[in-house]
Amino acid sequence: MTTYAGSTMKLRVAREVSPFGYFLSLGDDEDTEVLLHYSETNGVKVKEGMEVEAFLFHDTDDRLSATLKKPLIRLGELKRLAVADIHPRLGCFLEIGLGRQLLLPISELPELIDLRPLPGDEVFVTLTHDKSGRLLAKLAREEDLAKHVFPAPATWKNEWKEGWVSRTLQMGSFVVLDGGVVGFGAYGMIPAAERPEPLRLGQRVSARVTFVREDGRVNLSMGKLKQVGRIEDADRLLAFLKERPGGAMPYSDETPAELIKNKFGISKSAFKRAVGKLMRDGIVRQEGNWTKLLTEEEAAAFKAMADAAKAESAKAESAKAESAKTGAAPKQPAATERAAKEPASREPVKKASQKKPFPGPNRGR
């Protein structure tokens, strides 16, 4: 097979052969001609002798053919293409805008089936040839993407961005974030601990920029800010507790992280922050491996203690502010005042219960 496939060329219409279409001349030494079928003229009125801009490909019989339709990708280009179909042994078939699909071989896909793309996902690929000259998609590597991405601005920190997973590993998932009007996009990574589950190649994701590196790449997280996530997680746990018999659940700070992740879909740290908020609010308490809702009496007692502590704190702050105005030291408790008046040289008083040491064999003689 020739290597013309995948290229867009200006070719002369040599002749028309009904009922097939037009034969275009490649203009090579062998005077090779390719068929432009009537169905591939894309509405253009073709005549013998005129020049047309045609995209070359191989048909189902591996014959070099031409079309006047515009492909979504050309030879050597890097594009993001949608997955049209999947084959368990061959790989993924990608839509290229010509009414036919392009194969992304299974050798280019992750080994784990759960990490492979699904129809509707979009993957970054380049167009190349196989050993026989047929068109083939090749997954874009990091060095391929590096030529197109732009450095993320520092203002992106803590902003939510959307993108497509370009590579997924056990350690994390690499994502090309949408560039919008700025350009192709920016490159980032979601560490495994910052994603709720392993992500598929080509999956559409939304993630928060946690850090912008000096080279313009970014660290990402699919979790909310801790202060926001703590409130939402606490609400979810409270709703779960209220549905449980007796308002108790067999999960606490002592529960293994894996069990918490499987049950609530959050990390153990997030779980502890959420439970801690509920405990500070006087809503729950923990007993060993259990977390329980407080009874009305327990909640009332907790509120009374909290109000007293708050009043005492406010009183101390008020005294501190008053002393700052007058320049005097804040009044000390009576016991402290008495201790301050005692002379520093005074010997400590011996306790009445203190006993003299038992005389040894050489004592008292």
Side-chain angles (χ1 to χ4, degrees):
M1 293 184 183
T2 64
T3 57
Y4 293 116
S7 303
T8 298
M9 305 176 66
K10 284 189 175 182
L11 304 176
R12 182 178 61 84
V13 180
R15 55 198 172 94
E16 179 180 1
V17 177
S18 182
F20 304 107
Y22 305 91
F23 282 89
L24 311 181
S25 175
L26 292 179
D28 56 8
D29 296 336
E30 299 176 359
D31 199 21
T32 306
E33 292 182 341
V34 296
L35 175 65
L36 172 64
H37 197 276
Y38 287 132
S39 62
E40 298 292 342
T41 59
N42 200 29
V44 177
K45 294 183 179 180
V46 180
K47 297 180 180 179
E48 292 185 18
M50 70 181 294
E51 278 195 346
V52 294
E53 192 172 80
F55 178 77
L56 303 181
F57 64 96
H58 289 104
D59 63 15
T60 53
D61 295 322
D62 284 340
R63 295 174 301 193
L64 191 63
S65 303
T67 180
L68 301 189
K69 298 175 183 177
K70 303 300 181 184
L72 297 178
I73 189 172
R74 292 179 174 84
L75 193 64
E77 291 182 339
L78 185 151
K79 297 289 183 179
R80 191 183 73 242
L81 301 180
V83 177
D85 198 4
I86 56 176
H87 192 285
R89 293 190 303 274
L90 299 180
C92 297
F93 289 93
L94 311 178
E95 183 58 58
I96 58 173
L98 301 178
R100 52 181 51 82
Q101 284 85 43
L102 175 69
L103 177 64
L104 177 63
I106 197 168
S107 59
E108 293 287 311
L109 302 180
E111 292 185 9
L112 293 178
I113 296 178
D114 291 342
L115 303 184
R116 295 176 184 173
L118 295 176
D121 291 341
E122 300 187 13
V123 293
F124 290 92
V125 297
T126 58
L127 184 60
T128 185
H129 293 133
D130 64 9
K131 295 179 180 179
S132 301
R134 288 185 293 258
L135 290 177
L136 206 63
K138 184 179 181 182
L139 197 65
R141 303 299 192 260
E142 184 176 344
E143 55 269 23
D144 299 321
L145 294 168
K147 302 174 185 176
H148 301 271
V149 296
F150 59 79
T155 54
W156 276 20
K157 186 176 182 181
N158 285 329
E159 290 187 3
W160 284 85
K161 299 293 179 180
E162 293 190 345
W164 301 90
V165 177
S166 62
R167 190 182 180 198
T168 188
L169 303 170
Q170 186 176 2
M171 62 178 288
S173 300
F174 294 88
V175 179
V176 177
L177 301 175
D178 296 344
V181 296
V182 180
F184 183 85
Y187 202 53
M189 179 188 177
I190 306 175
E194 299 296 335
R195 62 188 184 189
E197 59 187 2
L199 304 175
R200 300 187 311 274
L201 173 67
Q203 184 175 341
R204 182 71 167 169
V205 296
S206 179
R208 178 173 54 86
V209 177
T210 59
F211 182 72
V212 180
R213 292 165 39 180
E214 292 184 0
D215 60 2
R217 299 188 178 189
V218 298
N219 294 347
L220 302 165
S221 173
M222 297 182 72
K224 295 180 174 62
L225 287 169
K226 290 182 179 179
Q227 55 267 37
V228 177
R230 179 172 61 245
I231 297 173
E232 294 184 356
D233 294 338
D235 291 341
R236 287 174 54 207
L237 294 180
L238 180 59
F240 179 77
L241 276 168
K242 288 180 177 179
E243 295 177 354
R244 294 276 303 176
M249 63 178 181
Y251 304 97
S252 70
D253 292 353
E254 299 178 8
T255 304
E258 185 177 354
L259 292 180
I260 292 175
K261 186 76 171 180
N262 292 337
K263 184 62 181 179
F264 302 104
I266 59 177
S267 67
K268 184 169 182 178
S269 297
F271 176 85
K272 293 174 70 174
R273 287 193 294 268
V275 172
K277 179 183 183 304
L278 294 176
M279 294 178 70
R280 288 191 297 273
D281 292 344
I283 300 175
V284 303
R285 60 186 172 85
Q286 288 192 344
E287 290 182 6
N289 292 325
W290 287 79
T291 300
K292 302 180 179 180
L293 290 173
L294 293 182
T295 64
E296 292 184 3
E297 293 79 6
E298 290 173 335
F302 180 89
K303 186 176 184 305
M305 291 177 59
D307 290 344
K310 186 176 181 181
E312 186 68 24
S313 176
K315 185 178 179 181
E317 288 295 327
S318 178
K320 185 177 180 180
E322 186 65 26
S323 64
K325 290 181 181 179
T326 60
K331 188 176 181 181
Q332 297 176 333
T336 308
E337 290 181 355
R338 287 195 300 271
K341 293 177 181 179
E342 295 289 341
S345 60
R346 182 175 178 178
E347 292 291 335
V349 179
K350 293 184 179 180
K351 295 182 179 179
S353 60
Q354 187 175 1
K355 297 180 180 180
K356 295 181 180 180
F358 189 84
N362 297 323
R363 293 179 181 177
R365 292 185 179 179

